[in-house]
Amino acid sequence: MIRVLILSGPNLNLLGTREPEIYGYDTLADIERMCRDRAEIYGWIVDFRQSNHEGELVTWIQESIGEIDGLIVNAAAYTHTSIALHDALKMLGDTPIIEVHISDPEKRESFRHTSYITPVAAEVIKGYGSKGYVMALERLSVLFAGG
Ligand code: DQA
């Protein structure tokens, strides 16, 4: 059974009310439901988590080493600051990592233009709104099929 960990970083727990003109009106619970629906079609196990704490995200990544087949991560603001997350993700080795952003950070303030996640990600999906999470599951299914 394929196991996928989906991690969301700080402030994403407030999706739906947080800057909806940028992030839309879907809540994180809505996104979780969309991901679970898709994972059910694929027959995958999905672990969907959010934290506002960098260290907690690092711990979850460490704990997932050897336990998962793929990781989807929206590290939110930590994307642009966290060498700790970069280092933790690197330890996943060959496990494919898909970086997701609801908005397109490169079209926003310059401080969002650097990602410490991209160098360790197989692919980046950004600017497609909340459906980017489901697109990431779709991309993983292609990667798992050898694409
Ligand atoms: C985000 C983009 C980041 O720059 C921002 O800090 C977020 C969300 C996105 O999903 O578009 O919190 O990762």
Side-chain angles (χ1 to χ4, degrees):
M1 185 79 95
I2 286 176
R3 298 150 303 174
V4 175
L5 176 60
I6 304 178
L7 292 182
S8 296
N11 301 308
L12 294 172
N13 54 311
L14 295 183
L15 284 176
T17 52
R18 173 194 180 199
E19 299 180 271
E21 66 286 358
I22 295 174
Y23 299 113
Y25 289 93
D26 283 339
T27 64
L28 197 60
D30 293 331
I31 294 173
E32 178 172 2
R33 202 170 315 111
M34 288 190 271
C35 289
R36 289 197 182 285
D37 286 351
R38 180 57 64 100
E40 199 180 315
I41 292 168
Y42 292 155
W44 296 356
I45 294 172
V46 153
D47 189 357
F48 192 99
R49 301 183 187 198
Q50 185 275 334
S51 179
N52 292 325
H53 302 277
E54 185 176 16
E56 189 164 42
L57 293 163
V58 168
T59 298
W60 288 342
I61 293 165
Q62 287 182 6
E63 288 171 354
S64 77
I65 296 169
E67 303 292 328
I68 58 167
D69 301 287
L71 182 116
I72 294 168
V73 57
N74 182 351
Y78 291 143
T79 304
H80 318 299
T81 62
S82 182
I83 298 168
L85 279 178
H86 170 98
D87 287 348
L89 291 168
K90 212 168 186 178
M91 288 188 280
L92 285 172
D94 289 339
T95 303
I97 297 165
I98 312 282
E99 175 182 359
V100 171
H101 299 285
I102 294 167
S103 67
D104 183 349
E106 288 198 29
K107 294 189 176 151
R108 300 176 60 193
E109 305 95 320
S110 58
F111 58 80
R112 296 182 202 277
H113 294 182
T114 299
S115 167
Y116 286 99
I117 310 300
T118 300
V120 290
E123 296 190 17
V124 183
I125 295 173
K126 57 190 179 186
Y128 291 100
S130 55
K131 69 175 185 292
Y133 280 77
V134 175
M135 292 168 73
L137 285 167
E138 286 168 4
R139 286 305 302 157
L140 277 182
S141 77
V142 173
L143 292 177
F144 292 154

